[in-house]
Amino acid sequence: MMLFQSVCSLHRSTFRHFLPGCLAPCLALRLAPCLAVYLALAAAPSFAGSRIVGTGGVSAIEGAAGGGLSPWAVLSSTASEQEIGVTAAATRAWVDDYRLTVTSASVNIYDRVEVSAARQTLDLETLGGELGQDIYGAKVRLFGDVLYHPWGIWSAGVQHKRLVDGTIPTALGADETRGTDVYLSASKLLFSAVAGRNVLLNATLRNTDANQGGLLGFGGDQGSRSWVAEGSVGVFITPQWVVGAEYRQKPDNLSVAKEDDWQSLYTAYFFNKHLSLTGAWLDLGDIAGLPSQHGGYLSLQAAF
């Protein structure tokens, strides 16, 4: 912690105000100076919530707690009943013709309600220009616990999405420049399920009219709202290190912009209850007429 104070010249009481501002430029600078600071923090004592490390997942690209591509039933941070947790994350995904940058934050209130916000910016490196949207989410834990309840934890969520500029999506045939997703998620940790390792299972059922998650608008000439499935599995190599895979089914509403399902292979490391780092290999299929978009993903998350 002394190293952190000397580098950032901040008292511990201002720590929670520093992190969201530092996270955003961190990825833009290739994580270079900031990651060293955060690694110093990782060795510091944890003053986070009462839940076990890793039980809040990481920050998905739409701001909710979960994996990289999909929300899970768990709520962000490690706040338990009678505790409030705050989480901030910075994410960068780069595939063949696009770059996606996400900054997000969420609040966990008594491990019952999660409120989140995210800003997505998609750079169209081949086509030129950029797309952006703001996402405001809420998730409610319906019942259960990811560790000990026989049916795991179940949550319901909503995500309201608004495009910053709808010119390109409407030109492609999108019906709307804003839309709302609703979803139901279930998550369960299976103890010693694979070669003595704990396994985390997640399933999400989403009702949506979003094209490419909303970045290409909502609805189109081939359809509007539909139900889609999302799922993931993770194996804990150690209590702090998990590897796994995600799958996200997608609607296909625009005839001029074929949409494929998303999938990833990921790994996440939880340094402590405060800090985690996630990396992934992405297969996003066709996006806006450009085929076979593959690439990488990196997300840094801090929680209190």
Side-chain angles (χ1 to χ4, degrees), residues 88-294:
T91 301
R92 187 71 184 267
W94 55 98
V95 292
D96 297 319
D97 298 291
Y98 303 97
R99 301 292 182 269
L100 176 67
T101 301
V102 184
T103 54
S104 62
S106 64
V107 178
N108 179 343
I109 304 171
Y110 303 150
D111 198 27
R112 177 60 64 180
V113 176
E114 174 191 292
V115 180
S116 62
R119 163 61 69 91
Q120 296 180 339
T121 302
L122 182 67
D123 294 321
L124 312 175
E125 293 203 337
T126 299
L127 302 175
E130 70 176 31
L131 299 170
Q133 73 170 334
D134 296 319
I135 303 172
Y136 306 97
K139 184 193 302 183
V140 177
R141 180 170 64 87
L142 301 177
F143 70 89
D145 177 87
V146 69
L147 297 176
Y148 305 117
H149 193 281
W151 295 101
I153 181 174
W154 290 69
S155 298
V158 59
Q159 295 175 341
H160 181 67
K161 306 177 180 183
R162 300 181 179 181
L163 288 174
V164 176
D165 182 352
T167 303
I168 295 177
T170 53
L172 291 174
D175 293 334
E176 303 289 344
T177 60
R178 63 180 62 186
T180 301
D181 293 359
V182 295
Y183 62 89
L184 177 68
S185 293
S187 303
K188 174 60 179 173
L189 185 72
L190 305 177
F191 294 103
S192 303
V194 176
R197 310 288 184 182
N198 297 337
V199 175
L200 183 63
L201 301 177
N202 302 275
T204 296
L205 185 63
R206 182 193 298 257
N207 185 266
T208 181
D209 61 352
N211 308 319
Q212 296 296 347
L215 287 164
L216 291 184
F218 304 87
D221 60 303
Q222 293 196 142
S224 55
R225 302 200 68 87
S226 58
W227 289 97
V228 292
E230 305 168 35
S232 67
V233 59
V235 178
F236 280 86
I237 306 302
T238 73
Q240 294 175 282
W241 177 29
V242 59
V243 298
E246 284 190 287
Y247 180 85
R248 177 167 172 173
Q249 189 179 18
K250 307 288 293 307
D252 193 13
N253 298 325
L254 301 174
S255 59
V256 299
K258 182 179 181 295
E259 189 163 353
D260 292 324
D261 297 344
W262 289 349
Q263 48 199 315
S264 75
L265 299 175
Y266 72 87
T267 181
Y269 190 83
F270 298 89
F271 296 94
N272 57 25
K273 292 184 179 182
H274 284 307
L275 183 68
S276 67
L277 182 65
T278 303
W281 174 84
L282 303 173
D283 180 0
L284 306 184
D286 291 4
I287 299 179
L290 298 178
S292 302
Q293 298 298 311
H294 303 97

Side-chain angles (χ1 to χ4, degrees), residues 22-38:
C22 187
L23 278 169
C26 190
L27 286 177
L29 295 176
R30 299 179 184 272
L31 304 175
C34 289
L35 185 56
V37 174
Y38 293 136

